[in-house]
Amino acid sequence: MKRWLKISLKIIGVLMILLILAWAAAAYYISKNNKAILAKILNQVNTQINGTVNVSHMETILLKGFPGISVSLKNVSLRDSLWSKHKKELLKAKDIDVSLNALSLLIGTINIRKVAINNANIYLYTDSNGYTNTSMFRTKNEKKAAENDDSSSDLQIRIIDLNKVDLVIDNQKRFKLFSFYVDELKGKINYPFGRWDGSFKLKTQIRSFAFNTKKGSFLKNKTIVGRMTAHYDGEAEVIVIDQKPIKIGEDTFSIGANINIAKNQSAFSIAIKADEILYRNVAQLLAPNISAKLFKFGIEKPMNVTASIIDNGEKNTTDPLINVKMTVQHNNISIPSGELTDCSFTGYFSNQDTTSIPIGDSNSIIRFYGLKANYYNAPIKIDTFTVANLEKPFAQGLVTSKFDLQQLNGSFNDETFRFGKGTADLRLFCKADIDNFLFTKPVVYGKVTIQNADITYLPRNLKLTNSSLDLHFNQKDLNITNSRLQLGKSIFNMNCTIANFLNFYYTDPQKIEAKVNLSSPNLNLSEFIPFLSPRQTKRKATSSKNAIKEASKQLSAALEASKVHLQLNVKKAVYDKFVAKNLDANVSLIGNGIYFNKIKVQHAGGHVTFSGRVEQMGTINKMQMNANIAKVSVSEFFYAFQNFGQQSVTSKNLKGFLSAKVNASGNITSKGNMVPKSMFGRVSFTLDKAALVGFEPLEKIGKFVFRSRNLSNVQLEQLNGLLTLRGDKVDISPMKVNSTALNFDVKGVYGFNSGTNIALDIPLRDPKKSADIIDKEERELARMKGIVLHLKAVDEDGEIKIRWNKKKDRE
């Protein structure tokens, strides 16, 4: 063995022996001077604080602190000078292990190198007046320090070890409560001049992290695991925690902080950063008053978040300043009114938008910059979107989009609209209140242009093709202009004004009133028949959370509940066999009713004015009408209205010109056809220059009598009458018929299928014999001279039979 190695080993051996001897001497010294050493430890601590430390007794632990000497302090309590008033012990521990410098003991001083606190409670208390029990550390007990003749240095603990410690920071003045269960805290501390630097390993559970106990705790029941480094500047009385990764729950955050512990200060700032973290995990870390609102939203994939929490220590505030930045790229976001897919934006949150106004929900704001997404499968862009005043939140932003309408089909689920070709181009500035995270009382400025569109409104199976329109939003009003709409072969232009549309849309759709002007050169009214049909609804199995479907239902409900007042001007209108010219109509659609307020039309060489309503009941609808008919061709009129549901007197039987007043009600099918035998009401009419051609009852009479006269073509100069409609029967009021073939009086009941009983008083006198009598009264007396046949037309076995009308039956 080389000589230098032998010398080195000898030196090391001697040093080891000396160390062991020193350690043994220190251990012997402690065992012999247990009470004195404990008194010195307590004295050294007490000179550093303005309070008292109590220990029941001390036990020596020889091997645990080698090469130092360890002692265990039992039943330790630490109380400030005002403990007798508030009864909050700053420290209460069953066991505190203290490691002492063995060499310092040999020269009669106490140098504490390590403190291990086990099974303890630490309670940092601030009362409602601002007094805190930690003030005991801010000033030394100068009297005790002066009386202490110990020359030991200031207390400098090099190693701290906390195990199973309950730590509570309770600030009742500012409603703050921080409570931790410290499972493990191990740290080493160095003491450069005027400061200390520490490195710590931490594992703790957060029971409360409440900046405002009235609003709940952040990080509730979360576990924090990690390493941190901290620095303390004794002159500035500031603790700086370096920003390093720490695991909170299952996620890793980079967290740093500055804490001011100067007298009467509780200022701090916390910096937080997390990359690729799920939105829901972030929301779970926040206080209930915030997380409850955030859970209304969802972000599918991880995102990047940075945040700061700053408390300036001012006593007139309770909430800290919170600033958050969020970066989202190509993510899917659920919101109460739908879903944003492929969404990207940069978001900011602050609970103090205006610095001159106190921190709080009413001064909070959320800003989104550069938002791009698909909404209802339509691409949207928003340069800046804000949600301000979270106490009574309102949102605003400029939305732009241009897309093919077919992209919307997947969102509406074939329940309200189906889109074919066409494009939409929108630019809207929107501002709205948010009630329970739904937009209310919106104010919208801007324009939506739809071009060359095929749109089907499914609840009524209305199909628009090659249609274009501009929607102008002016605050709460909606105006529709430049509209070219095609329904089947009907093409018309539309202008529409809906006052206060956006407000009523969300709050009370029944108050929506649309004033619509339609004009067309040629209109096929049968293509509007779907308005008579009941709404078609489809029930589909969907997920419980389908905000798009709910929005679709809301739009459909608003369209059905709203009132539409329609002014229609058409050059030519056709409905089945009815042809009208210069149609001028005022129609209202209200609820399940179609109200024909006033319709004027030229038809069959005359004029018709009409009013009435249709009440939608399903496949059969109720109808009521009032009509004034002026000098229309009776043949064309009966033909146009399908002989009013009967086949006895048809358009083929009638000639001449009809004027009439009709007041009737009946049923009409959802396809627009009159229901036979459903009409009730009155018809008063005048026939001028008329003829009754091929009328079956007269032809039967001709076979019985007047065989020489032509009863198949009876000319009438003028005929006035009153008919009462009773479903399958018509009551004929007494009526005098003067014709070229014969004169007769008629009254009774005509049954469409059965129940016909018509009385006919027919003079045998040929009307031609009275044709030369000029005086009307004399001619009237002459018409009934001579033999008068009293007949009746009755229904027997489904056929009309002519019988004698006996005197007793007539009376």
Side-chain angles (χ1 to χ4, degrees):
M1 183 179 294
K2 295 182 178 181
R3 184 171 180 273
W4 65 266
L5 181 57
K6 289 182 180 181
I7 295 172
S8 298
L9 290 174
K10 288 180 180 181
I11 293 173
I12 292 172
V14 171
L15 291 175
M16 288 294 294
I17 292 171
L18 290 176
L19 179 62
I20 293 172
L21 290 175
W23 177 82
Y28 176 78
Y29 177 83
I30 290 175
S31 65
K32 289 297 184 179
N33 300 277
N34 184 290
K35 292 183 180 181
I37 293 174
L38 175 59
K40 282 193 173 187
I41 292 174
L42 295 179
N43 190 52
Q44 187 178 33
V45 174
N46 282 322
T47 58
Q48 304 294 316
I49 63 175
N50 187 16
T52 58
V53 179
N54 294 310
V55 179
S56 64
H57 63 284
M58 183 178 74
E59 297 177 357
T60 305
I61 308 173
L62 294 179
L63 297 178
K64 188 172 183 179
F66 184 84
I69 302 298
S70 292
V71 295
S72 179
L73 307 179
K74 303 297 183 181
N75 300 320
V76 180
S77 68
L78 182 58
R79 299 173 179 175
D80 66 302
S81 59
L82 297 181
W83 173 85
S84 60
K85 293 183 178 180
H86 56 70
K87 302 296 183 181
K88 299 291 191 300
E89 287 184 313
L90 192 147
L91 172 66
K92 186 176 182 180
K94 293 182 179 179
D95 180 26
I96 297 180
D97 295 338
V98 179
S99 179
L100 306 175
N101 188 311
L103 294 177
S104 68
L105 289 174
L106 296 178
I107 61 174
T109 63
I110 300 295
N111 191 334
I112 300 174
R113 313 306 293 168
K114 176 182 177 181
V115 173
I117 303 175
N118 307 300
N119 302 309
N121 294 290
I122 300 174
Y123 202 108
L124 309 181
Y125 173 73
T126 302
D127 67 14
S128 58
N129 294 319
Y131 171 78
T132 174
N133 61 358
T134 60
S135 62
M136 64 187 296
F137 295 114
R138 294 196 182 106
T139 58
K140 298 180 180 181
N141 189 323
E142 300 295 343
K143 182 178 179 181
K144 291 181 180 179
E147 294 175 350
N148 182 17
D149 57 357
D150 191 358
S151 60
S152 63
S153 61
D154 288 342
L155 182 64
Q156 292 185 347
I157 301 173
R158 300 288 179 174
I159 299 174
I160 292 178
D161 187 358
L162 274 63
N163 297 281
K164 296 179 173 54
V165 174
D166 276 311
L167 171 62
V168 177
I169 303 172
D170 181 6
N171 189 328
Q172 295 192 353
K173 182 175 183 179
R174 302 187 64 197
F175 303 101
K176 300 181 186 297
L177 179 62
F178 305 106
S179 177
F180 310 88
Y181 177 73
V182 182
D183 188 57
E184 178 185 25
L185 175 62
K186 298 181 182 295
K188 294 182 178 180
I189 304 175
N190 296 317
Y191 293 89
F193 181 76
R195 56 178 292 175
W196 58 256
D197 299 317
S199 176
F200 304 92
K201 178 183 178 183
L202 175 67
K203 182 180 180 182
T204 183
Q205 183 182 36
I206 297 178
R207 292 173 175 170
S208 176
F209 200 74
F211 297 102
N212 187 342
T213 53
K214 297 177 181 179
K215 296 181 180 179
S217 170
F218 290 74
L219 306 173
K220 186 75 172 179
N221 297 325
K222 292 295 182 181
T223 298
I224 297 180
V225 178
R227 295 182 178 274
M228 64 175 64
T229 57
H231 315 277
Y232 173 66
D233 185 334
E235 183 176 349
E237 297 187 77
V238 173
I239 298 174
V240 178
I241 300 175
D242 296 336
Q243 190 166 6
K244 288 189 174 182
I246 293 179
K247 197 168 186 180
I248 301 177
E250 298 299 322
D251 298 299
T252 300
F253 294 80
S254 180
I255 299 178
N258 281 21
I259 305 171
N260 190 328
I261 62 172
K263 185 177 182 180
N264 296 324
Q265 292 288 326
S266 59
F268 65 84
S269 63
I270 302 174
I272 304 170
K273 182 180 179 182
D275 295 329
E276 296 296 307
I277 187 170
L278 289 173
Y279 171 85
R280 184 173 184 83
N281 292 0
V282 173
Q284 288 175 340
L285 301 179
L286 304 177
N289 68 309
I290 301 175
S291 60
K293 297 174 182 177
L294 294 181
F295 283 139
K296 299 285 186 178
F297 304 86
I299 300 179
E300 183 180 304
K301 295 182 289 188
M303 59 186 183
N304 299 333
V305 177
T306 59
S308 64
I309 303 174
I310 302 171
D311 190 323
N312 59 13
E314 293 183 3
K315 298 179 176 59
N316 56 351
T317 62
T318 56
D319 294 336
L321 173 63
I322 300 176
N323 292 310
V324 181
K325 178 184 177 182
M326 178 189 307
T327 303
V328 174
Q329 293 292 329
H330 305 293
N331 219 317
N332 296 329
I333 301 176
S334 60
I335 61 177
S337 60
E339 184 175 5
L340 299 171
T341 59
D342 193 21
C343 181
S344 300
F345 64 86
T346 301
Y348 294 89
F349 165 80
S350 177
N351 59 352
Q352 190 177 32
D353 181 36
T354 304
T355 55
S356 60
I357 300 175
I359 292 170
D361 285 348
S362 62
N363 194 23
S364 296
I365 195 164
I366 303 172
R367 288 186 173 91
F368 300 91
Y369 294 105
L371 190 151
K372 296 180 181 179
N374 292 323
Y375 184 56
Y376 284 1
N377 295 325
I380 62 171
K381 294 181 180 179
I382 305 177
D383 289 337
T384 303
F385 184 78
T386 62
V387 179
N389 187 0
L390 299 188
E391 190 173 278
K392 295 180 180 179
F394 66 90
Q396 64 181 18
L398 177 63
V399 183
T400 60
S401 181
K402 188 172 184 179
F403 56 92
D404 292 332
L405 289 172
Q406 286 180 317
Q407 295 177 232
L408 301 178
N409 286 330
S411 301
F412 283 97
N413 294 326
D414 279 348
E415 292 191 11
T416 307
F417 293 99
R418 183 185 298 125
F419 299 93
K421 65 178 183 178
T423 61
D425 189 351
L426 65 88
R427 183 178 178 86
L428 298 174
F429 177 80
C430 307
K431 182 178 179 180
D433 291 347
I434 302 177
D435 183 9
N436 196 24
F437 293 91
L438 294 175
F439 293 121
T440 62
K441 301 178 182 178
V443 176
V444 178
Y445 298 88
K447 179 181 177 182
V448 178
T449 299
I450 296 175
Q451 293 184 331
N452 304 320
D454 290 351
I455 305 172
T456 302
Y457 180 53
L458 294 168
R460 295 194 179 276
N461 198 31
L462 284 172
K463 299 179 181 179
L464 295 173
T465 59
N466 297 319
S467 298
S468 301
L469 66 158
D470 292 343
L471 292 84
H472 298 269
F473 293 90
N474 182 15
Q475 295 190 23
K476 296 179 174 63
D477 300 337
L478 170 62
N479 297 298
I480 301 175
T481 61
N482 298 328
S483 302
R484 189 259 187 203
L485 305 177
Q486 181 171 344
L487 186 63
K489 295 181 180 180
S490 300
I491 299 174
F492 49 93
N493 297 318
M494 180 183 74
N495 290 316
C496 176
T497 300
I498 308 177
N500 218 12
F501 169 75
L502 291 174
N503 189 11
F504 291 146
Y505 175 83
Y506 289 99
T507 58
D508 194 351
Q510 291 183 345
K511 293 183 179 179
I512 295 175
E513 292 198 36
K515 296 180 179 179
V516 183
N517 289 311
L518 289 178
S519 60
S520 175
N522 195 343
L523 207 62
N524 188 347
L525 296 176
S526 63
E527 291 168 343
F528 291 81
I529 290 301
F531 280 109
L532 298 176
S533 305
R535 294 181 71 244
Q536 302 173 13
T537 58
K538 296 182 179 181
R539 296 184 179 272
K540 292 187 175 183
T542 57
S543 61
S544 58
K545 185 178 180 181
N546 192 335
I548 294 177
K549 182 179 178 182
E550 293 302 317
S552 174
K553 286 181 178 179
Q554 183 180 18
L555 176 58
S556 178
L559 291 173
E560 292 300 319
S562 60
K563 302 178 181 67
V564 178
H565 303 292
L566 175 66
Q567 181 63 46
L568 183 63
N569 299 100
V570 180
K571 293 290 185 181
K572 181 181 179 181
V574 178
Y575 175 71
D576 199 7
K577 297 177 181 180
F578 176 83
V579 178
K581 296 180 179 178
N582 298 321
L583 172 63
D584 183 2
N586 184 280
V587 180
S588 295
L589 308 177
I590 302 174
N592 290 327
I594 302 175
Y595 297 84
F596 302 99
N597 302 317
K598 188 176 182 180
I599 298 177
K600 294 191 299 182
V601 66
Q602 295 177 2
H603 170 65
H607 295 83
V608 178
T609 59
F610 176 86
S611 64
R613 70 175 184 272
V614 174
E615 183 180 356
Q616 295 173 288
M617 307 292 289
T619 55
I620 303 297
N621 306 306
K622 291 184 177 181
M623 181 187 70
Q624 186 275 328
M625 65 176 179
N626 294 292
N628 286 318
I629 303 164
K631 297 182 179 181
V632 300
S633 169
V634 65
S635 177
E636 293 182 41
F637 187 73
F638 267 61
Y639 177 80
F641 287 95
Q642 302 179 57
N643 301 310
F644 298 96
Q646 53 83 39
Q647 295 301 320
S648 297
V649 182
T650 69
S651 61
K652 295 179 181 180
N653 302 127
L654 299 169
K655 291 182 179 180
F657 298 95
L658 172 68
S659 297
K661 291 184 178 181
V662 181
N663 186 345
S665 63
N667 295 331
I668 186 171
T669 68
S670 59
K671 294 183 178 180
N673 299 319
M674 294 295 302
V675 177
K677 309 170 198 176
S678 68
M679 295 295 291
F680 290 81
R682 294 165 62 89
V683 179
S684 61
F685 66 90
T686 298
L687 276 172
D688 287 321
K689 299 178 182 179
L692 193 59
V693 180
F695 183 53
E696 183 181 6
L698 283 181
E699 289 179 336
K700 288 184 179 292
I701 292 173
K703 293 177 182 179
F704 187 70
V705 291
F706 312 122
R707 295 184 179 181
S708 62
R709 304 181 192 180
N710 184 8
L711 297 184
S712 295
N713 187 358
V714 180
Q715 304 291 321
L716 297 91
E717 183 63 28
Q718 187 179 72
L719 175 63
N720 298 313
L722 175 63
L723 305 178
T724 302
L725 309 178
R726 294 190 296 113
D728 62 345
K729 294 179 176 59
V730 178
D731 293 340
I732 304 172
S733 297
M735 183 169 52
K736 294 182 180 296
V737 179
N738 299 314
S739 70
T740 56
L742 77 163
N743 298 326
F744 60 90
D745 293 346
V746 61
K747 65 179 180 179
V749 177
Y750 177 78
F752 293 139
N753 289 331
S754 62
T756 297
N757 189 349
I758 300 175
L760 297 166
D761 296 330
I762 306 173
L764 298 180
R765 178 183 175 87
D766 191 338
K768 295 179 181 179
K769 294 181 179 181
S770 304
D772 295 332
I773 301 174
I774 299 175
D775 186 75
K776 290 184 178 180
E777 293 183 3
E778 184 180 350
R779 189 166 65 244
E780 180 64 25
L781 291 172
R783 73 185 288 274
M784 298 302 288
K785 287 182 179 181
I787 298 173
V788 178
L789 299 179
H790 300 286
L791 305 176
K792 61 180 179 181
V794 296
D795 180 77
E796 291 184 3
D797 299 327
E799 293 185 3
I800 302 296
K801 303 292 185 181
I802 302 300
R803 298 286 185 261
W804 291 109
N805 195 6
K806 298 179 181 180
K807 184 177 181 180
K808 64 177 183 178
D809 294 334
R810 297 199 306 272
E811 292 175 350

